[in-house]
């Protein structure tokens, strides 16, 4: 369970935010340098990332795992659970880059400069089951959100191969299978503009619905994927477009508030263990666990490093005392 929200400011800043809903916090802010080498759990083929990344993830001797982040060119990516929709490849094909699904965004951020760059090479990549893997790793069901400084926001759903990009100008994604079904259900609550329906929407358009609510349903309050998707889209479409980067971050956090799942082990196995956002233009990663928001910027000095970093974050409720 997770929710992704893409927000565009009037001054041209692009923010990609998300909740990470899981049963425990397994992620910290991390940095991986240019030319970082890692081996896929599927076939232990060694990959070298040309580009540096900051984001949320973990680094161990066995694997480096990134859940969300931004690279040095402003390409942003996230992975979300994709139950009952994944169709993974079983057979080995030596002419393809074959990865476990959870490795995809780490590979994309490490190898490509933009969404267009990803689109040009995506047919070279296959997402694998563990039927013929070196080591069993389960049936990794995930889908993915990407955006970049052009404002283009896309989804990758491994429901067919070769993989394809699905444009997502609405900028909302949850775990519910089939992105087109999500859009269909949203029409019970909001009306899309003619430009959205005709595929003629101008780049960086913030609102893709008319905002007219007469005769429409009220968004559900549930924390199901459908409930979170409708609520996030509804709230974003009714919100004013932020003027600046700082306003865009504040808007992102307010929208994430509406889909943040409280811990309730008696009723659901997962909750929002952290919230995060990336900014494409200044290559900054914002990470919130408990109450404190921390940030890491992919600076020129950091780009000179040749070794990875894992950053410590506060794991307690830590408000700022004013008196």
């Amino acid at each position: 369970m997770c929710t992704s929200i893409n927000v565009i400011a009037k001054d041209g800043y692009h923010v990609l935010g998300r909740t990470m809903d899981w049963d425990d916090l397994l992620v910290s802010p991390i940095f991986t340098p240019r030319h970082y080498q890692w081996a896929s759990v599927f076939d232990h083929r060694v990959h070298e990332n040309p580009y540096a990344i900051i984001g949320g993830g973990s680094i161990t001797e066995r694997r480096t795992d990134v859940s969300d982040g931004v690279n040095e060119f402003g390409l942003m990516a996230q992975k979300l659970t994709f139950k009952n929709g994944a169709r993974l490849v079983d057979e080995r094909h030596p002419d393809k880059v074959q990865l476990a699904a959870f490795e995809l965004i780490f590979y994309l951020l490490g190898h490509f400069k933009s969404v267009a760059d990803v689109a040009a090479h995506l047919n070279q990549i296959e997402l694998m089951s563990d039927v013929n893997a070196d080591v069993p790793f389960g049936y990794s069901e995930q889908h993915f959100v990407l955006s970049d400084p052009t404002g283009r926001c896309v989804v990758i759903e491994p429901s067919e191969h070769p993989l394809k990009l699905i444009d997502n100008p609405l900028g909302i994604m949850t775990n519910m299978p089939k992105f087109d079904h999500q859009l269909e259900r949203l029409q019970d609550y909001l009306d899309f503009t003619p430009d959205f329906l005709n595929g003629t929407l101008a780049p960086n358009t913030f609102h893709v619905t008319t905002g007219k609510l007469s005769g429409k349903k009220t968004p559900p309050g549930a924390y199901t994927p459908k409930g979170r998707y409708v609520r996030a889209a509804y709230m974003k479409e009714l919100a004013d477009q932020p003027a600046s980067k700082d306003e865009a971050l504040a808007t992102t956090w307010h929208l994430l508030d509406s889909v943040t799942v409280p811990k309730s082990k008696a009723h659901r196995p997962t909750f929002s263990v952290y919230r995060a956002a990336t900014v494409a233009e200044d290559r900054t990663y914002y990470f919130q666990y408990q109450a404190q928001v921390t940030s890491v910027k992919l600076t020129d000095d950091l780009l000179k490093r040749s070794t990875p970093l894992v950053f410590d974050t506060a794991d307690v409720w830590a408000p700022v005392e004013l008196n």
Side-chain angles (χ1 to χ4, degrees), residues 16 140-141 160 299:
L16 186 62
S140 182
E141 295 182 280
E160 60 179 327
T299 63

Side-chain angles (χ1 to χ4, degrees), residues 61-260:
E61 291 183 2
R62 293 188 175 183
R63 74 188 196 194
T64 301
D65 190 359
V66 171
S67 298
D68 40 69
V70 59
N71 73 9
E72 59 186 280
F73 295 95
L75 177 64
M76 305 179 290
Q78 303 167 341
K79 62 183 179 184
L80 295 81
T81 303
F82 185 53
K83 290 294 184 182
N84 305 315
R87 300 291 181 267
L88 303 178
V89 176
D90 294 334
E91 299 301 322
R92 292 197 180 211
H93 301 130
D95 60 327
K96 299 290 185 180
V97 175
Q98 296 189 305
L99 305 169
F102 66 82
E103 298 173 324
L104 179 63
I105 70 162
F106 186 47
Y107 182 87
L108 298 181
L109 289 173
H111 284 77
F112 303 113
K113 297 180 179 181
S114 65
V115 172
D117 196 12
V118 171
H121 298 87
L122 192 59
N123 63 357
Q124 302 169 9
I125 301 170
E126 292 180 331
L127 299 186
M128 309 304 295
S129 73
D130 66 354
V131 172
N132 291 301
D134 289 352
V135 179
F137 53 80
Y139 200 81
S140 182
E141 295 182 280
Q142 296 181 339
H143 58 176
F144 314 90
V145 179
L146 286 78
S147 189
D148 65 19
T150 69
R152 187 180 180 190
C153 184
V154 299
V155 170
I156 300 174
E157 289 187 344
S159 54
E160 60 179 327
H161 285 270
L163 297 170
K164 295 179 180 179
L165 297 183
I166 305 169
D167 280 294
N168 180 18
L170 176 65
I172 305 294
M173 171 63 85
T174 63
N175 315 94
M176 192 165 54
K178 297 292 184 182
F179 179 67
D180 55 345
H181 293 173
Q182 296 187 27
L183 291 178
E184 288 174 7
R185 291 177 178 179
L186 187 60
Q187 294 182 72
D188 290 337
Y189 304 89
L190 293 163
D191 287 324
F192 290 113
T193 64
D195 284 342
F196 180 90
L197 295 173
N198 296 333
T200 57
L201 202 67
N204 292 293
T205 299
F206 185 75
H207 291 125
V208 302
T209 64
T210 64
K212 297 178 181 178
L213 306 180
S214 179
K216 294 296 182 180
K217 293 182 179 179
T218 301
Y223 289 114
T224 61
K226 175 187 175 182
R228 288 181 286 108
Y229 176 80
V230 170
R231 196 157 59 251
Y234 189 94
M235 298 297 290
K236 181 186 174 186
E237 286 297 308
L238 297 187
D240 291 340
Q241 182 175 11
S244 64
K245 179 190 77 171
D246 288 347
E247 285 190 18
L249 286 165
T251 296
T252 300
W253 245 255
H254 286 311
L255 292 172
L256 291 175
D257 285 341
S258 71
V259 292
T260 297

